[in-house]
């Protein structure tokens, strides 16, 4: 599946039983709702594909991995219903990754902000480079990382999530993220793809039924996300309409 337009791009390639999904957007690989929906659909499709055993999730380019929600689209939100609808996109994606029958390997080549950190957190195993610093900037624009919080806290713990959230202008280093458990492996940029490919190849050689059962165990205790993430989207959808957020978004875009 391949698509490309002003709303970003999404492309899936295959090597044996490994599917590599690459998303991209001109604005630092940010996510408008259409791209969120496309990625969610692709994850669900691959989950049902019996010829796929492992998924690699990556973004295009050599700089930012993902800058989160599209600021342009957030500024177009005119009412609470539209705000809830937009942030529900992240809820759908995280649930799709959680429910996916296949293990998902994250390949992170650069910085991640907000929703991008949430997506990394929903991967089952993550390779990243030393340049892959992270930040939860939501409070700085008048909202909060409400939808992605369960995924982030599950990976790095509530204390580390709080440290990130309450310092929204502060970057946490890739080393910090590795120590907290967000990243499984830190790789040099030059060897990142080789290491990701080698690991995926090894993983794909294992019994697919064992991998599926392991996936279920990894995500035990998250069943409430089916409703929780949408409850959180409602909080964000309301806050994004505030004057504080409108003014902050305009400042960020300057």
């Amino acid at each position: 599946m391949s698509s490309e337009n002003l709303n970003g791009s999404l492309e899936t390639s295959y090597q044996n039983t490994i599917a590599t999904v690459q998303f991209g957007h001109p604005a630092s690989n940010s996510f408008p709702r259409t791209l969120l929906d496309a990625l969610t659909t692709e994850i669900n499709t691959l989950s049902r594909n019996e010829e796929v055993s492992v998924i690699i999730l990556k973004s295009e380019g050599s700089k930012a991995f993902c800058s989160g929600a599209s600021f342009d689209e957030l500024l177009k939100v005119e009412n609470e219903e539209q705000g809830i609808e937009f942030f529900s996109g992240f809820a759908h994606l995280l649930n799709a990754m959680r429910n996916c029958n296949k293990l998902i390997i994250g390949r992170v080549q650069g910085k991640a902000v907000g929703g991008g950190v949430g997506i990394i957190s929903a991967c089952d195993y993550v390779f990243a480079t030393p340049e892959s610093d992270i930040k939860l900037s939501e409070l700085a624009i008048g909202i909060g990382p409400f939808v992605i919080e369960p995924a982030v806290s599950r990976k790095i713990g509530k204390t580390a999530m709080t440290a990130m959230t309450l310092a929204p202008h502060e970057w946490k280093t890739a080393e910090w993220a590795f120590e907290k458990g967000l990243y499984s492996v830190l790789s040099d940029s030059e060897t990142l793809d080789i290491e990701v490919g080698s690991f995926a190849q090894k993983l794909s050689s294992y019994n697919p039924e064992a991998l599926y059962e392991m996936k279920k165990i990894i995500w035990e205790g998250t069943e409430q996300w089916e409703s929780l993430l949408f409850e959180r989207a409602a909080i964000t959808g309301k806050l994004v309409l505030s004057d504080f957020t409108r003014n902050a978004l305009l400042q960020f875009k300057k």
Side-chain angles (χ1 to χ4, degrees), residues 43 73 115 126 160 183 202 239:
I43 294 295
E73 198 155 302
V126 180
Y183 300 146
K202 289 178 182 177
L239 289 172

Side-chain angles (χ1 to χ4, degrees), residues 159-212:
T159 300
M161 180 281 302
T162 301
M164 290 185 68
T165 300
L166 299 186
H169 294 94
E170 179 181 316
W171 288 97
K172 297 295 186 183
T173 66
E175 183 64 33
W176 184 92
F178 171 70
E179 291 173 354
K180 299 302 180 184
L182 182 66
Y183 300 146
S184 309
V185 179
L186 282 184
S187 304
D188 291 335
S189 300
E190 295 77 13
T191 60
L192 177 64
D193 288 323
I194 295 173
E195 293 188 41
V196 171
S198 176
F199 182 79
Q201 197 66 47
K202 289 178 182 177
L203 206 58
S204 68
S205 70
Y206 302 148
N207 184 347
E209 292 182 11
L211 293 178
Y212 172 60

Side-chain angles (χ1 to χ4, degrees), residues 43-251:
I43 294 295
N44 287 332
T45 299
L46 292 172
S47 180
R48 297 188 295 268
N49 189 335
E50 295 182 358
E51 296 184 2
V52 170
S53 60
V54 176
I55 299 170
I56 297 173
L57 182 61
K58 61 186 290 188
S59 65
E60 67 180 17
S62 59
K63 295 184 179 179
F65 171 75
C66 177
S67 60
S70 166
F71 280 9
D72 287 336
E73 198 155 302
L74 286 178
L75 282 168
K76 294 178 182 178
V77 173
E78 297 180 348
N79 54 57
E80 191 171 330
E81 184 177 290
Q82 291 178 356
I84 295 172
E85 174 67 16
F86 178 78
F87 286 103
S88 291
F90 279 99
H92 284 299
L93 175 58
L94 296 182
N95 274 323
M97 295 175 71
R98 176 178 69 87
N99 290 321
C100 183
N101 292 339
K102 315 299 161 60
L103 290 169
I104 301 175
I105 302 170
R107 180 260 195 197
V108 181
Q109 81 283 16
K111 292 182 177 180
V113 181
V117 179
I119 292 170
I120 294 170
S121 299
C123 292
D124 300 300
Y125 200 93
V126 180
F127 288 80
T129 67
E131 294 74 40
S132 303
D133 297 347
I134 56 174
K135 179 168 66 172
L136 294 180
S137 61
E138 286 87 345
L139 278 183
I141 59 172
I143 56 176
F146 302 114
V147 176
I148 66 170
E149 180 277 323
V152 178
S153 291
R154 173 182 164 275
K155 264 296 178 70
I156 68 174
K158 191 77 75 173
T159 300
M161 180 281 302
T162 301
M164 290 185 68
T165 300
L166 299 186
H169 294 94
E170 179 181 316
W171 288 97
K172 297 295 186 183
T173 66
E175 183 64 33
W176 184 92
F178 171 70
E179 291 173 354
K180 299 302 180 184
L182 182 66
Y183 300 146
S184 309
V185 179
L186 282 184
S187 304
D188 291 335
S189 300
E190 295 77 13
T191 60
L192 177 64
D193 288 323
I194 295 173
E195 293 188 41
V196 171
S198 176
F199 182 79
Q201 197 66 47
K202 289 178 182 177
L203 206 58
S204 68
S205 70
Y206 302 148
N207 184 347
E209 292 182 11
L211 293 178
Y212 172 60
E213 293 299 329
M214 197 65 232
K215 175 86 178 195
K216 289 194 295 183
I217 290 173
I218 290 170
W219 287 94
E220 276 182 351
T222 62
E223 294 78 13
Q224 75 276 20
W225 288 20
E226 293 294 344
S227 58
L228 176 62
L229 301 191
F230 296 100
E231 293 169 7
R232 297 290 185 82
I235 298 173
T236 318
K238 181 178 180 179
L239 289 172
V240 77
L241 297 171
S242 69
D243 290 339
F244 185 103
T245 297
R246 295 287 182 179
N247 293 331
L249 287 171
L250 289 171
Q251 289 299 315

